[in-house]
Amino acid sequence: MEYRKNDLVTLEIEDCGIDGEGIGKADGFTVFVKDAVIGDTVLAKIIKAKKNYGYGRLMEILKPSPYRVEPKCAIARQCGGCQLQALSYEKQLEFKENKVRGHLERIGGFSNLPMEPIIGMDEPYHYRNKAQFPVGRAKDGRIVTGFYAGRTHSIIENRDCALGVPENKEILDRVISHMEKYGIEPYDEGTGKGLVRHVLIRYGFFTGEVMVCLILNGTRLPREEELVETLREIPGMTSITININKKRSNVILGEELRLLWGKPYITDKIGDISYQISPLSFFQVNPRQTGKLYAKALEYADLHGEETVWDLYCGIGTISLFLAQKAKFVRGVEIIPAAIENARENARINGIENVEFFVGKAEEVLPEEYQRTGTYADVIVVDPPRKGCDETLLSTIVEMQPKRVVYVSCDSATLARDLRYLCDRGYELVRVCPVDQFGNTVHVETVCLLSNRKADSHIRLSLDMEEYYDIMDKEKAEQK
């Protein structure tokens, strides 16, 4: 049967796509249905039809899946933030494990994967230490904040996100009340007019410190002192800043910061390491789970105090300082100058001296240092953005021949591509472990260990020679 747009189909959802959409078949025709979960029987309307597959809109759940749960958030379906709230957490972990395995097998061409069980979260809600809330006006004229609906810039009103911390709502209530009281306009993307663009909130899970940063299409907020007074009443308030962004673009943060009150940063911890975090800093949004991720990376690095380590895409030194606890020396590379300033300060406040940081692109700094000084690495750790590693960087890693490469990835598709490159050039994939940093979303982190086959063969050769000399010694002893 040939299906067309607007046709209604009944589907049994048998699988889950990489973006969390349900997958079902009707007479061999595959349909992807957002908001349907594995095990559902649904009625869907075809909204786009290709030759062998199409996309459907969920019209009715005819028989709910045994894995279907009630979302904690009433607007989970409209909001673009959570894709998996209707799926039980155990099934979410299974989906993420399968996603990583599928990418490594199909894109990377790996088989017999050395996969370890996914490391799940103790509590898959209220784990985000950072939120950026756009501010605008509803159709009825009210000032609203919340999150953008999927693939749009329409704000779905929500001041109390189920993934965020309770402090978010209290802060947003006070900011919007201040705007209403003094007639302060929210930013309008269409006209480029209005003042308040976003409210950025950060929370220190291990310190209880709170940061508020207002992103403005201007330099000042009317009656700033009064807003500071009301925000200071919130327990843990540590930093209140203004960020100036007058550009008409989708980039949220501008480069200029102005401190209104308190410190220009908050402090939080991952494991035993403290970090200073500014509004512009990149910092993992789930510090509790990040501790587990970094502990696994440290385990894979297998450091004994004599190793030189390069940490590429090091950010504010989060992994570098973890590694420095066990390594002889760590060198970190990051393209953002402010992040490197943070990294150096974080090393100082933790009393860690066996680290050095470089500003620049990892794919440029590492080859330059290698060619200039012949710098060596026993272990290289990479934690790139979603696009993965540049091929120039991978080529330099192969040329440097470290004993081990630890790859931390937030995108298992580009991870699979990069692992294939390294494994075609002398490395072996030894261990793989997914880590769920982002409960109720489709995203998953993965940490992998690659071992240098040449280094391994050298070790085996050394052992063989030792055995040879043992035999020769025994023979000489017997002859005597």
Side-chain angles (χ1 to χ4, degrees), residues 183-334:
I184 301 168
E185 282 297 312
Y187 182 69
D188 184 313
E189 286 188 335
T191 64
K193 308 271 190 208
L195 183 62
V196 181
R197 300 177 71 133
H198 282 78
V199 181
L200 166 66
I201 302 169
R202 288 186 185 267
Y203 177 78
F205 269 87
F206 295 92
T207 62
E209 294 182 1
V210 180
M211 168 188 289
V212 177
C213 178
L214 299 182
I215 294 95
L216 303 184
N217 179 38
T219 57
R220 294 192 65 81
L221 185 79
R223 312 292 280 267
E224 287 175 349
E225 301 80 5
E226 292 184 30
L227 179 62
V228 165
E229 285 305 310
T230 184
L231 289 176
R232 284 180 58 185
E233 295 171 1
I234 298 171
M237 189 59 64
T238 303
S239 173
I240 306 174
T241 57
I242 294 291
N243 177 262
I244 298 162
N245 180 8
K246 298 180 183 179
K247 294 180 181 177
R248 293 191 67 173
S249 73
N250 291 335
V251 176
I252 293 175
L253 286 162
E255 295 178 5
E256 187 179 344
L257 275 174
R258 183 164 60 85
L259 181 66
L260 290 186
W261 177 83
K263 300 176 183 177
Y265 59 83
I266 61 169
T267 303
D268 205 12
K269 298 180 76 172
I270 298 176
D272 296 326
I273 306 292
S274 295
Y275 301 91
Q276 288 183 356
I277 310 153
S278 78
L280 300 174
S281 297
F282 171 79
F283 191 70
Q284 293 278 7
V285 299
N286 185 345
R288 289 184 178 134
Q289 204 68 356
T290 298
K292 299 176 187 177
L293 176 73
Y294 288 0
K296 183 60 69 172
L298 191 58
E299 176 190 330
Y300 283 6
D302 191 25
L303 303 174
H304 300 280
E306 299 301 319
E307 296 87 358
T308 297
V309 182
W310 278 83
D311 174 22
L312 310 179
Y313 310 98
C314 70
I316 63 169
T318 44
I319 295 182
S320 301
L321 301 184
F322 240 66
L323 298 167
Q325 297 172 98
K326 296 286 183 73
K328 180 180 180 181
F329 202 83
V330 177
R331 293 181 173 91
V333 184
E334 171 59 51

